[in-house]
Amino acid sequence: MKNLVSRFVNDESGATAIEYGLIAAGIALAIIIAVNQLGTQISTTFTNVRNGMAGQATGQ
């Protein structure tokens, strides 16, 4: 029984899995933030192009 408890206390495989999970969550969060910012910039660019084309079509 003492050997079983000792092995359980010294087992770090679960901690490693949790660390990998936290790293993956951090990377996912960084990707989400980057894509969100890029999407906003692309949307603004397309809006500017659309407005420019509308101005050309009306002769402004």
Side-chain angles (χ1 to χ4, degrees):
M1 183 70 173
K2 186 176 182 180
N3 187 20
L4 179 65
V5 172
S6 176
R7 280 192 351 219
F8 178 75
V9 170
N10 292 327
D11 185 14
E12 295 183 5
S13 61
T16 302
I18 291 172
E19 290 168 355
Y20 283 138
L22 290 173
I23 291 169
I27 291 170
L29 182 62
I31 290 171
I32 290 169
I33 291 171
V35 168
N36 189 19
Q37 290 296 323
L38 184 62
T40 302
Q41 292 174 357
I42 290 173
S43 176
T44 301
T45 301
F46 279 122
T47 301
N48 292 339
V49 169
R50 184 191 66 203
N51 292 340
M53 291 174 69
Q56 291 294 323
T58 60
Q60 294 180 353

